[in-house]
Amino acid sequence: MTSIAIVGAGVSGLHLALFLQQHDVPVTIYTDKTADEIAGGRLLNTVAHHHHTLERERVMGVHHWEADRYGYICHQHSIVGTPEPMRFRGDFDHPSSIIDYRLYLPRLLSDYQERGGTVVIGAVDAAAVERIGGDHDLVVVAAGRGAGGMFARLPEKCPYDKPQRRLSAGIYHGIAYTEPKGVGVHMSLGHGELLELPITSREGFATALLFENIPGGDLELLADICYQDDPGAYDHTVLAKLRQHYPMCFERVDPGSFGLMGPTDLLQGALTPVVRQDYIRLDCGTFALAMGDAHCVVDPVNGQGANSASYSAWVIGHAILDDLALDEHFCRRVAREREAFVCGVSDWTNMILNPEPHVVGLLMAMAQSKALCDAYTQNFNHPDRQWDAVATPQRTAAFIARHTADHALAAV
Amino acid sequence: MTSIAIVGAGVSGLHLALFLQQHDVPVTIYTDKTADEIAGGRLLNTVAHHHHTLERERVMGVHHWEADRYGYICHQHSIVGTPEPMRFRGDFDHPSSIIDYRLYLPRLLSDYQERGGTVVIGAVDAAAVERIGGDHDLVVVAAGRGAGGMFARLPEKCPYDKPQRRLSAGIYHGIAYTEPKGVGVHMSLGHGELLELPITSREGFATALLFENIPGGDLELLADICYQDDPGAYDHTVLAKLRQHYPMCFERVDPGSFGLMGPTDLLQGALTPVVRQDYIRLDCGTFALAMGDAHCVVDPVNGQGANSASYSAWVIGHAILDDLALDEHFCRRVAREREAFVCGVSDWTNMILNPEPHVVGLLMAMAQSKALCDAYTQNFNHPDRQWDAVATPQRTAAFIARHTADHALAAV
């Protein structure tokens, strides 16, 4: 019987493990952190799960936070720095949701273990992957930091050699949700973006602020200031920057109760986007497939990383069930089947970080047409189609025409 | 409004044209032969349409030969040259059918024209394609002989630089159908294969014999002997070779009525399998996509060419409807979406022409297990899966185990 090793217990590792377990394929998770360490640790990210990811959770029986209650249904856009500030909204067909991964991952790991799943705690570096390969028919590597470097970077898919944003993600009290409940997508031209995210935290509903700060801009310091040195000063600085750069978020802040939830609820840093090769053959002959961050790291500005990783897990899971061997032919199949989606996420996100004029024009057009903005918003659930729509000026023009024409027809 | 040129009016050209017409996309067919020239000309091929192709015909409203009446439902295998002659059968889930293309193509061309379609008769060489490109937003080249050479051969997908069989395809009277009605798949080890095909011809039900003759073998002369020099001698030679090499076809022959239907019902020759690049950019800037024989030529031994071509037409048609531009991004998408299927046909067929030991072993195992033979037969409708099953010895072993295990379970 085929035995699968999954190295890493993030969203893609867990989704693949739960899927295989559901289909009686022997699987072992290798990870370097216990559920308690994750639950009690620092904020991991602030990523949304879009409908396609939630649908997979439902199929696996791990959709513990019902999207109708915990989710949100739109993007609330604001732009400042233009002659007139802009504000517009795009609606989803189905809700998305954001759960603090310190709740989400331990809960799914617990589901996996309660259903009889095996977890081995230990190092998850390249040497470990080689060793694990000897005991299994396939290793799926989903530990980006530990073992991602085993997979070569693909230069043709990596336009950047350094981070394009310096990041500050934190969970805050004191911000009222928009009506209808949505993610705030705020832009301060020349300085960066703010994603204002209705997150479910250990203290219930709260707001994650993900500041995407352009290096050299007025907001870059948010990636550097230290909360623990002076919590009051930290909150004060964030509030001042919100007021100045993101007034359409600030207008819903209650200054009296505003503040970071706690010292572990902040993640500051930066990342360089990368796409790596899909697979390698280990010295023992077993193939190792890259998945999630070990395969593709994107800036969080579009909130697509977890969804791309979960999609990849699904492709791999179905291919394992369906195919006849776990050989190079299998690995190439996985690569082909996930390429449009995973590279769509990567190409689209890389484009958004330094948008060409036609993409800026698309945002302006979205401000004029709700139908167009809805189409762009719904494509967060179809990142392959989103890349189709922004890859070239001609494509963006056709996308605008298609959806504004629909709108005109709908209005007749 | 997007305007599509299709160069070539074979099965893929017609299927794409009818599909686009059905969806109100402006399309023009360019071809070098009129319907009357095709109807009155030499035999074009003897290819089967499998279920997926017939399903597309139904969707387009051009399934004029109902498969339940005109089709067949199994492969009747025979092998001579082994210590004991072998005989075994594999069943399809759904019928396939074989219609003489001198009936099929003119009928579909007529459908297209009756529905308002435009056909331009003229040369279909590279110069014509360049000229046509200037008048359209995309050119789909489906004229293998005329313009296929515009697309570069892909050496990594082309294991052969010369024909592996010398061919004789003809329509004959005097052969009773098998019961149940099926295609006879006969092998004479060291000499070649005979496909015995229940074809619908201008004279109604008849049998096409496609002799796949190994160069240097005892049957090679069938690709050379001239019918018109001496029809009686020709029929006599074919009959003698049938008796000697393909006794399990010969046993159903009535020697008194056996003979080629007529002088135009014979096609002799040879072809070198080739896979070409998916697309080029014409000098005018318009992209040209290769389809059908302009993209991929396979030996007819598996009867897959038309099905692969029609599948390709469907992928292209849906991509045209769905996508936002007809640019290189679009062409790459088509390439990705058809790769597993079209290259599956090519790789599988190339493997069968000079089967590795594990594929010979698969045939032997099929003779022992009807469930396995059914699975192999049904994969004529899923050539991507067939290639998955024969690509390596390990895969073939797994394929055998999967289907013989099913069989064992089913028998419990």
Side-chain angles (χ1 to χ4, degrees):
Chain A
M1 186 67 177
T2 295
S3 150
I4 311 293
I6 299 172
V7 178
V11 59
S12 65
L14 285 167
H15 282 191
L16 177 58
L18 287 157
F19 176 86
L20 292 175
Q21 189 178 50
Q22 208 171 27
H23 293 90
D24 299 319
V25 178
V27 57
T28 302
I29 289 180
Y30 296 84
T31 179
D32 59 357
K33 282 205 181 61
T34 66
D36 285 348
E37 285 169 344
I38 291 170
R42 178 170 292 280
L43 179 67
L44 291 160
N45 60 35
T46 56
V47 74
H49 282 192
H50 296 299
H51 180 63
H52 66 93
T53 301
L54 301 180
E55 285 288 88
R56 288 189 287 272
E57 294 174 6
R58 291 182 184 103
V59 168
M60 292 182 286
V62 297
H63 184 59
H64 301 297
W65 296 269
E66 183 46 54
D68 286 339
R69 173 156 182 227
Y70 293 93
Y72 62 92
I73 58 163
C74 63
H75 282 173
Q76 305 269 9
H77 293 264
S78 84
I79 306 180
V80 297
T82 43
E84 290 287 320
M86 303 171 75
R87 188 196 292 254
F88 50 100
R89 191 179 108 202
D91 290 344
F92 283 97
D93 279 333
H94 305 280
S96 301
S97 84
I98 305 167
I99 310 298
D100 187 328
Y101 264 30
R102 294 171 296 181
L103 304 179
Y104 185 87
L105 298 180
R107 181 70 189 271
L108 267 64
L109 192 61
S110 162
D111 292 329
Y112 167 74
Q113 291 181 295
E114 283 169 15
R115 295 171 187 183
T118 303
V119 178
V120 177
I121 305 289
V124 293
D125 55 10
V129 170
E130 279 288 354
R131 201 170 51 242
I132 290 164
D135 296 330
H136 296 275
D137 301 303
L138 178 73
V139 184
V140 183
V141 179
R145 272 181 295 272
M150 301 178 78
F151 303 90
R153 181 176 177 271
L154 299 177
E156 72 277 15
K157 298 188 178 176
C158 301
Y160 304 125
D161 59 6
K162 59 174 186 289
Q164 301 300 300
R165 295 289 187 276
R166 301 206 55 235
L167 306 172
S168 167
I171 303 182
Y172 295 83
H173 290 305
I175 307 176
Y177 287 155
T178 58
E179 178 55 44
K181 190 174 173 184
V183 160
V185 181
H186 306 284
M187 298 179 65
S188 175
L189 295 186
H191 301 285
E193 301 84 18
L194 166 64
L195 298 182
E196 178 198 348
L197 304 147
I199 194 170
T200 299
S201 73
R202 67 180 176 281
E203 298 187 10
F205 289 137
T207 299
L209 297 180
L210 169 59
F211 291 95
E212 293 261 337
N213 309 304
I214 294 176
D218 184 49
L219 290 161
E220 184 176 11
L221 83 167
L222 294 177
D224 297 312
I225 54 172
C226 180
Y227 179 78
Q228 284 177 287
D229 282 355
D230 187 340
Y234 174 91
D235 288 342
H236 182 81
T237 301
V238 172
L239 198 59
K241 293 300 181 189
L242 271 186
R243 180 190 296 117
Q244 181 186 350
H245 287 277
Y246 300 116
M248 288 173 265
C249 173
F250 180 78
E251 69 190 13
R252 277 174 288 99
V253 171
D254 167 26
S257 61
F258 178 81
L260 194 70
M261 201 162 81
T264 61
D265 299 310
L266 178 65
L267 183 67
Q268 292 163 305
L271 57 84
T272 303
V274 64
V275 179
R276 298 182 180 280
Q277 66 187 143
D278 288 89
Y279 63 89
I280 55 172
R281 187 189 179 106
L282 300 175
D283 291 341
C284 60
T286 301
F287 281 86
L289 266 176
M291 180 172 74
D293 281 355
H295 178 222
C296 179
V297 174
V298 293
D299 186 279
V301 68
N302 279 330
Q304 289 285 327
N307 299 283
S308 174
S310 168
Y311 179 90
S312 192
W314 218 240
V315 168
I316 293 169
H318 281 278
I320 289 170
L321 290 193
D322 181 61
D323 210 341
L324 294 161
L326 300 171
D327 53 6
E328 186 162 16
H329 184 106
F330 165 84
C331 293
R332 281 198 301 257
R333 168 198 177 149
V334 167
R336 184 174 58 238
E337 291 182 355
R338 72 185 178 184
E339 182 188 351
F341 199 98
V342 174
C343 291
V345 163
S346 173
D347 290 338
W348 163 38
T349 302
N350 287 332
M351 165 71 89
I352 285 294
L353 291 170
N354 292 290
E356 292 180 23
H358 68 275
V359 177
V360 177
L362 172 59
L363 286 174
M364 297 301 116
M366 282 160 55
Q368 309 281 320
S369 162
K370 178 142 190 308
L372 178 65
C373 193
D374 288 350
Y376 185 84
T377 304
Q378 284 153 22
N379 272 352
F380 275 67
N381 203 42
H382 300 286
D384 46 344
R385 296 187 204 158
Q386 195 82 304
W387 175 236
D388 289 344
V390 300
T392 70
Q394 293 74 20
R395 289 182 160 267
T396 297
F399 181 70
I400 292 171
R402 180 177 292 189
H403 292 286
T404 49
D406 285 355
H407 181 60
L409 283 171
V412 169
Chain B
M1 185 65 179
T2 294
S3 148
I4 311 294
I6 299 173
V7 178
V11 58
S12 66
L14 285 166
H15 283 192
L16 177 57
L18 287 157
F19 176 85
L20 292 175
Q21 189 178 50
Q22 208 170 28
H23 293 89
D24 300 319
V25 178
V27 56
T28 303
I29 288 179
Y30 296 84
T31 179
D32 59 356
K33 284 204 179 62
T34 66
D36 286 349
E37 286 169 342
I38 290 169
R42 178 170 292 280
L43 179 66
L44 290 160
N45 60 36
T46 56
V47 75
H49 283 191
H50 295 299
H51 180 63
H52 67 92
T53 301
L54 301 180
E55 285 287 88
R56 288 188 287 271
E57 294 174 7
R58 291 182 184 103
V59 168
M60 291 182 287
V62 298
H63 184 58
H64 300 299
W65 295 271
E66 183 46 54
D68 286 339
R69 173 156 180 226
Y70 292 93
Y72 62 92
I73 58 163
C74 63
H75 282 171
Q76 305 270 10
H77 292 266
S78 83
I79 305 179
V80 296
T82 43
E84 289 288 319
M86 302 170 79
R87 187 195 293 253
F88 50 100
R89 191 179 108 202
D91 290 344
F92 283 97
D93 280 332
H94 304 281
S96 301
S97 84
I98 304 167
I99 311 297
D100 188 328
Y101 265 30
R102 294 170 297 180
L103 305 179
Y104 185 87
L105 298 180
R107 180 69 189 270
L108 266 65
L109 191 61
S110 162
D111 291 329
Y112 167 74
Q113 290 181 297
E114 283 170 15
R115 296 172 187 182
T118 304
V119 178
V120 177
I121 306 287
V124 292
D125 55 10
V129 169
E130 279 287 355
R131 201 169 52 242
I132 289 164
D135 297 331
H136 296 276
D137 302 303
L138 178 74
V139 184
V140 183
V141 179
R145 271 180 296 271
M150 301 178 78
F151 302 91
R153 179 176 178 272
L154 299 178
E156 71 278 15
K157 297 187 177 176
C158 300
Y160 303 124
D161 58 6
K162 57 176 189 284
Q164 301 300 299
R165 294 290 187 277
R166 299 206 57 236
L167 307 172
S168 167
I171 303 181
Y172 295 84
H173 290 306
I175 308 175
Y177 286 157
T178 59
E179 178 53 46
K181 191 175 174 183
V183 160
V185 181
H186 306 285
M187 299 180 66
S188 175
L189 295 188
H191 301 285
E193 301 84 17
L194 167 64
L195 298 183
E196 177 198 349
L197 304 147
I199 194 170
T200 299
S201 73
R202 68 181 177 280
E203 297 187 11
F205 289 137
T207 298
L209 297 180
L210 169 60
F211 291 96
E212 293 261 338
N213 309 306
I214 294 175
D218 184 50
L219 291 161
E220 184 176 12
L221 84 167
L222 293 177
D224 297 312
I225 55 174
C226 179
Y227 179 77
Q228 282 176 290
D229 283 354
D230 187 339
Y234 174 92
D235 288 341
H236 181 80
T237 301
V238 172
L239 198 58
K241 292 300 181 190
L242 270 187
R243 181 189 297 116
Q244 182 187 350
H245 286 278
Y246 299 116
M248 286 172 264
C249 174
F250 180 79
E251 68 190 14
R252 277 173 289 97
V253 172
D254 169 27
S257 61
F258 178 80
L260 194 71
M261 201 164 80
T264 61
D265 299 310
L266 180 64
L267 183 66
Q268 293 163 305
L271 58 83
T272 303
V274 65
V275 179
R276 299 182 181 280
Q277 65 188 144
D278 288 89
Y279 64 91
I280 54 173
R281 187 188 178 107
L282 301 175
D283 291 341
C284 60
T286 300
F287 281 87
L289 265 176
M291 180 172 73
D293 281 355
H295 178 220
C296 179
V297 174
V298 292
D299 187 280
V301 68
N302 279 331
Q304 289 285 325
N307 299 283
S308 174
S310 168
Y311 179 91
S312 192
W314 218 240
V315 168
I316 293 169
H318 282 277
I320 288 170
L321 290 193
D322 181 61
D323 211 341
L324 294 161
L326 300 171
D327 52 6
E328 185 162 15
H329 185 105
F330 165 84
C331 293
R332 281 199 300 257
R333 169 198 177 149
V334 166
R336 186 174 56 238
E337 291 183 355
R338 72 186 178 182
E339 181 188 350
F341 199 98
V342 174
C343 292
V345 163
S346 173
D347 290 337
W348 164 37
T349 302
N350 287 333
M351 165 71 89
I352 285 293
L353 292 170
N354 292 290
E356 292 180 23
H358 68 276
V359 178
V360 177
L362 173 58
L363 286 174
M364 298 301 115
M366 282 160 56
Q368 309 281 320
S369 163
K370 177 138 190 311
L372 179 65
C373 192
D374 288 350
Y376 185 84
T377 303
Q378 284 153 22
N379 271 352
F380 275 67
N381 203 42
H382 300 286
D384 46 345
R385 296 186 204 162
Q386 195 82 303
W387 175 237
D388 288 345
V390 300
T392 70
Q394 292 74 21
R395 290 181 159 268
T396 297
F399 181 70
I400 292 170
R402 181 177 292 189
H403 292 287
T404 50
D406 284 356
H407 182 62
L409 283 172
V412 169

